[in-house]
Amino acid sequence: MAYHFYLDGVLLPVTPGRLRLTVKSRNGTARLLDGTELNLLEGPGLTEAELEVLLPQRYRPFVNSGWHTPEYYLSLFERLKTEKRHCQFIVYRKGMDNRLYFGTNLTVALEDYEVEEDAESLGEDVRVTLRLREWKPYAVRTVSVTAGGASVQPERESSGAPDTKTYTVKKGDCLWNIAKQFLGNGSRYTEIYELNRDKITNPNLIYPGQVLTLP
């Protein structure tokens, strides 16, 4: 089985041996007068991901194509922190029968990372532990205060939808988020995929500059 991990459009040089995805709970509890405890169910919290990435100092047979030295990837991680921006985290899974398995495609922020050097176990290579947390867009609501009181203006999304039936992919985009923004439901990404099979070979991989037809 072939696994490829992408962060901000960059293929990680060595496929991590383990990925831990945690879906946080927001459930609360309440206690009735008779002592009965209730579980108050809420929607899921933000998904968190943790993985270890090996950054080889030299190319080896197990290294993925497009390899760079550790400085390249460490600079990427540093930019994601200092620029305070979100990015796309994609895991592409393909079986030995050339069949696509389920994909992971999350908009995330790099919460923190640890850089480890160990001459005994790693030699000249570097190992980095990445901790990612899901990022979700939010709307801005404007309140106008007048003499008669306050009036609330309609919500404005952080990025508006154009009136055209096409969309040009930007850095950090994924089909799920495009479908959620323009079609109102992220699970309708398959409709965009079906309309653009001539441009998209894998629904988990889209690239800036692609012009997609929308349903």
Side-chain angles (χ1 to χ4, degrees):
M1 179 179 292
Y3 275 63
H4 290 95
F5 285 64
Y6 296 84
L7 184 64
D8 200 30
V10 175
L11 174 63
L12 298 182
V14 179
T15 300
R18 185 180 68 172
L19 167 66
R20 182 189 299 274
L21 289 175
T22 304
V23 181
K24 292 289 187 177
S25 171
R26 298 191 303 168
N27 294 346
T29 59
R31 190 180 297 275
L32 303 180
L33 292 177
D34 62 0
T36 303
E37 189 174 34
L38 302 179
N39 189 5
L40 305 178
L41 301 182
E42 298 285 347
L46 299 175
T47 300
E48 296 182 0
E50 180 174 332
L51 59 152
E52 288 186 353
V53 182
L54 179 66
L55 306 179
Q57 194 68 246
R58 292 179 294 172
Y59 181 81
R60 298 188 180 95
F62 58 81
V63 175
N64 293 320
S65 60
W67 164 83
H68 298 276
T69 60
E71 289 81 5
Y72 176 86
Y73 303 99
L74 293 174
S75 295
L76 168 65
F77 305 150
E78 182 64 20
R79 289 198 305 274
L80 291 176
K81 289 297 294 180
T82 57
E83 295 175 7
K84 302 176 184 179
R85 63 182 176 86
H86 57 275
C87 65
Q88 216 62 30
F89 174 60
I90 295 173
V91 182
Y92 172 66
R93 303 172 177 87
K94 193 172 185 180
M96 298 297 292
D97 55 359
N98 214 35
R99 181 169 62 91
L100 290 177
Y101 289 87
F102 73 98
T104 298
N105 195 335
L106 292 172
T107 303
V108 298
L110 177 56
E111 291 299 303
D112 56 73
Y113 64 96
E114 299 175 3
V115 181
E116 179 184 357
E117 297 181 75
D118 189 325
E120 183 174 343
S121 62
L122 296 175
E124 59 185 0
D125 298 338
V126 177
R127 182 163 54 211
V128 180
T129 300
L130 300 176
R131 297 183 182 88
L132 312 171
R133 181 176 295 155
E134 184 180 10
W135 180 90
K136 292 185 177 181
Y138 52 89
V140 177
R141 176 170 293 181
T142 303
V143 178
S144 300
V145 180
T146 63
S151 61
V152 179
Q153 303 298 321
E155 290 186 353
R156 295 184 293 108
E157 295 294 333
S158 55
S159 58
D163 296 331
T164 59
K165 285 295 185 178
T166 62
Y167 176 75
T168 302
V169 177
K170 301 188 299 293
K171 189 174 182 179
D173 278 338
C174 67
L175 289 186
W176 180 279
N177 286 344
I178 293 173
K180 185 175 182 180
Q181 180 179 354
F182 295 106
L183 306 181
N185 188 341
S187 63
R188 294 183 63 188
Y189 78 94
T190 54
E191 298 177 32
I192 301 177
Y193 172 56
E194 291 297 331
L195 281 176
N196 295 274
R197 279 182 170 269
D198 58 326
K199 309 180 190 75
I200 305 174
T201 56
N202 175 7
N204 291 323
L205 297 176
I206 57 176
Y207 304 96
Q210 287 181 306
V211 179
L212 305 181
T213 302
L214 301 180

